[in-house]
């Protein structure tokens, strides 16, 4: 093979966790090299195979050669489920829960999601950008190059649109790819209490057409739950999303089993998220339609849930498992993807390669990005992270010390940490 075009950057003396083998392995290439051209991965392999393409340090076809000194490269990390844009916080509810109130009791008493709705409605775009930027910066410094952000704390047309626009503006502030999901059906706003159908009329007939015409979302999500929307109501939103060909995601079987994952499978949804109460028939339906299961260990931990997601059955049916922060003020005020890796292993008993797949190749799959992100492969976006670690399992094993030494997004170095 000869070089078809010049390489902008060549990383040598690196080990690669390509994540091209799903959760089965890290897809390791030891003593490897990786080349970038035009923002894409142009070549990767054993360094010993590099000589066929590259004649050494003076090869003028390569602009920049970086000696990785034995560090590991993974795909840039993907947080495929967040609610990063919101006003206020819910530390008061945290205190109430410590005094014995449950998440559902607080929600039913007018707290929970709708209290964040009030704060989000009051906040200006600038205020929302500033607070979300702090959270996004934390993820970015941990090696995250792609983040999904949901609306769902506006719950009226103007404020849902405001949230989605703010989510989009964040991409001008930080070199992170943002995918936006419209979650108008997150909770019933107080002004529509006892009138869910009238609210869903607004979601389907007013909000969604605006979101589509202004190109503000890549997917549609619904919180299908006793304190959210029923199966029948969820179906209405899915039907509306289908009209506009928007991919579907669902908050499903988080607190009870309503069958939302199976319903979503009938709509060829991308993913079903949370799923602590998912059963075997739901898993079979997800497998059949090629859905991804998104595990959210932060919410499991923060709510002190005891029902574990059905990991063994998901493995048995080979449903891909993504892992995400679910960063939000109510159930997962946690903006740490490394901690999610650790929790996925300690709480859910994922293997480290399953957990890493959850925030790389399967995180990409949950966003419909399997063909461009989440793997080290030729032609994929050059979103890559360099880590000062001796083995990939270290990323799951410890957190709090950040071993990220470089972050590259679309071929451009966007972070460098000499001390890592
Ligand atoms: O993913 N489950 C519903 N939505 C969020 C929680 C939102 C909130 O409590 O503010 C979640 O857990
Ligand atoms: Fe969520």
């Amino acid at each position: 093979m000869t070089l078809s075009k010049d390489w902008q950057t060549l990383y040598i003396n690196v080990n690669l966790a390509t994540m091209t083998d799903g959760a089965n392995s890290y897809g390791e290439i030891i003593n490897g090299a990786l080349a970038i051209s035009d923002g894409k991965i142009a070549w990767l392999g054993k360094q010993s195979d590099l000589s066929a393409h590259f004649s050494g340090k003076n090869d003028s076809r390569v602009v920049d050669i970086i000696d990785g000194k034995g560090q590991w490269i993974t795909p840039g990390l993907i947080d495929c489920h967040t609610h990063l844009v919101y006003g206020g916080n819910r530390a008061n509810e945290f205190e109430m829960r410590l005094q014995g109130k449950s998440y559902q009791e607080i929600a039913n008493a007018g707290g929970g999601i709708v209290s964040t709705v009030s704060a989000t409605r009051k906040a200006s775009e600038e205020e929302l950008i500033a607070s979300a930027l702090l959270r996004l910066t934390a993820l970015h410094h941990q090696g995250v190059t792609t983040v999904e952000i949901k609306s769902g704390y506006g719950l009226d047309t103007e404020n849902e649109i405001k949230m989605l626009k703010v989510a989009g503006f964040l991409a001008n502030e930080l070199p992170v790819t943002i995918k936006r999901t419209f979650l108008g059906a997150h909770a019933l706003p107080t002004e529509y209490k006892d009138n869910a159908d009238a609210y869903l009329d607004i979601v389907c007939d007013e909000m969604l057409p605006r979101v589509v015409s202004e190109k503000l979302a890549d997917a549609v999500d619904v919180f299908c739950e006793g304190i959210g929307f029923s199966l029948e109501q969820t179906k209405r939103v899915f039907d509306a999303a289908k009209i506009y060909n928007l991919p579907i995601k669902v908050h499903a079987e988080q607190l009870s089993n309503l069958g939302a994952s199976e319903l979503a499978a009938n709509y060829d949804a991308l993913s079903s998220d949370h799923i602590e109460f998912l059963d075997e028939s739901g898993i079979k339906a997800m497998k059949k339609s090629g859905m991804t299961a998104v595990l959210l260990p932060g919410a499991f931990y923060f709510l002190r849930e005891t029902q574990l997601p059905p990991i063994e059955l998901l493995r048995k049916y080979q449903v891909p498992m993504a892992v995400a922060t679910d960063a939000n003020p109510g159930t997962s005020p946690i903006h740490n993807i490394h901690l999610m890796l650790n929790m996925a292993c300690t709480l859910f008993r994922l293997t480290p390669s399953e957990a890493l797949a959850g925030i790389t190749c399967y995180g990409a799959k949950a966003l419909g990005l399997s063909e461009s992100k989440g793997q080290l492969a030729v032609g994929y976006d050059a979103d890559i992270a360099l880590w000062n670690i001796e083995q990939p399992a270290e990323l799951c094993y410890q957190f709090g010390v950040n071993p990220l030494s470089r972050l590259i997004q679309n071929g451009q170095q966007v972070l460098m940490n000499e001390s890592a």
Side-chain angles (χ1 to χ4, degrees):
M1 190 173 103
T2 50
L3 274 181
S4 56
K5 55 175 131 169
D6 293 358
W7 292 342
Q8 270 109 44
T9 318
L10 172 65
Y11 295 88
I12 56 169
N13 296 327
V14 285
N15 299 309
L16 308 173
T18 63
M19 306 314 294
T20 50
D21 186 25
N24 300 323
S25 76
Y26 301 112
E28 295 179 14
I29 300 177
I30 307 293
N31 298 326
L34 181 144
I36 292 175
S37 182
D38 291 335
K40 305 280 179 201
I41 296 173
W43 187 89
L44 79 169
K46 282 268 187 205
Q47 191 158 323
S48 51
D49 294 335
L50 188 60
S51 55
H53 319 288
F54 162 73
S55 56
K57 291 213 161 51
N58 297 324
D59 192 322
S60 61
R61 294 167 306 172
V62 181
V63 178
D64 206 6
I65 300 168
I66 292 169
D67 184 345
K69 298 182 179 146
Q71 296 198 355
W72 278 83
I73 295 184
T74 66
L77 308 183
I78 297 174
D79 191 350
C80 71
H81 179 141
T82 85
H83 309 249
L84 268 189
V85 173
Y86 58 83
N89 71 65
R90 305 234 291 276
N92 59 331
E93 294 183 8
F94 181 54
E95 286 191 308
M96 285 162 77
R97 287 203 297 111
L98 287 166
Q99 285 155 10
K101 290 263 182 297
S102 73
Y103 181 63
Q104 285 101 316
E105 281 167 344
I106 292 169
N108 290 332
I113 294 173
V114 298
S115 69
T116 298
V117 170
S118 313
T120 305
R121 286 178 178 178
K122 280 188 203 123
S124 66
E125 282 188 7
E126 292 69 28
E127 287 166 337
L128 290 175
I129 291 172
S131 59
L133 207 49
L134 285 176
R135 303 172 194 127
L136 186 61
T137 301
L139 292 172
H140 175 56
H141 284 157
Q142 294 152 20
V144 171
T145 47
T146 301
V147 176
E148 183 254 20
I149 301 178
K150 300 175 196 292
S151 68
Y153 292 123
L155 306 190
D156 62 25
T157 306
E158 179 201 340
N159 284 293
E160 283 294 299
I161 300 280
K162 177 175 81 177
M163 285 191 71
L164 290 167
K165 283 190 174 160
V166 164
F169 293 150
L170 294 173
N172 305 328
E173 307 286 329
L174 274 181
V176 176
T177 301
I178 309 277
K179 300 305 269 185
R180 293 176 290 183
T181 300
F182 170 59
L183 179 56
H186 192 193
L188 211 50
T190 33
E191 60 274 22
Y192 283 93
K193 201 167 179 291
D194 305 321
N195 203 356
D197 289 327
Y199 177 64
L200 289 176
D201 288 344
I202 308 277
V203 169
C204 299
D205 303 336
E206 190 178 305
M207 295 184 196
L208 196 51
R210 279 239 1 233
V211 166
V212 171
S213 73
E214 297 185 34
K215 296 194 172 49
L216 295 174
D218 308 288
V220 173
D221 194 342
V222 177
F223 183 26
C224 184
E225 188 55 68
I227 57 167
F229 293 89
S230 70
L231 207 57
E232 204 45 48
Q233 292 163 343
T234 300
K235 190 168 177 307
R236 274 193 66 188
V237 182
F238 288 176
D239 283 330
K242 271 284 159 201
I243 293 172
Y244 298 105
N245 270 327
L246 274 176
I248 285 167
K249 302 172 77 66
V250 65
H251 281 69
E253 331 330 335
Q254 180 185 12
L255 308 167
S256 59
N257 183 2
L258 298 186
S261 303
E262 199 158 343
L263 177 71
N266 294 335
Y267 285 81
D268 293 323
L270 284 173
S271 70
S272 180
D273 304 33
H274 284 288
I275 58 161
E276 278 84 347
F277 288 82
L278 179 63
D279 63 14
E280 189 161 3
S281 78
I283 293 175
K284 283 184 183 165
M286 286 176 67
K287 174 65 188 174
K288 203 161 158 219
S289 81
M291 281 169 74
T292 299
V294 179
L295 306 174
L296 304 170
F300 174 92
Y301 155 82
F302 196 73
L303 292 178
R304 301 185 76 223
E305 182 55 71
T306 51
Q307 172 82 27
L308 282 160
I311 304 295
E312 254 334 306
L313 282 173
L314 290 164
R315 282 193 187 114
K316 176 175 164 193
Y317 290 99
Q318 296 180 321
V319 175
M321 292 183 277
V323 174
T325 60
D326 194 20
N328 77 73
T331 66
S332 188
I334 304 175
H335 309 92
N336 192 321
I337 196 100
H338 298 175
L339 179 56
M340 294 307 124
L341 286 176
N342 182 272
M343 283 183 173
C345 297
T346 52
L347 300 176
F348 293 170
R349 313 309 288 166
L350 261 58
T351 65
S353 71
E354 284 176 325
L356 194 58
I359 60 166
T360 54
C361 55
Y362 292 148
K365 190 164 162 48
L367 296 176
L369 298 174
S370 296
E371 304 299 318
S372 56
K373 292 191 186 292
Q375 297 177 42
L376 303 179
V378 171
Y380 273 60
D381 293 349
D383 292 352
I384 68 171
L386 266 83
W387 306 95
N388 188 7
I389 53 175
E390 285 169 17
Q391 51 187 323
E394 272 177 61
L395 294 174
C396 303
Y397 154 77
Q398 65 170 357
F399 65 95
V401 171
N402 189 357
L404 182 73
S405 67
R406 289 173 195 257
L407 191 63
I408 290 88
Q409 197 222 18
N410 287 324
Q412 302 297 320
Q413 183 170 298
V414 292
L415 272 183
M416 165 124 181
N417 177 10
E418 306 252 16
S419 57

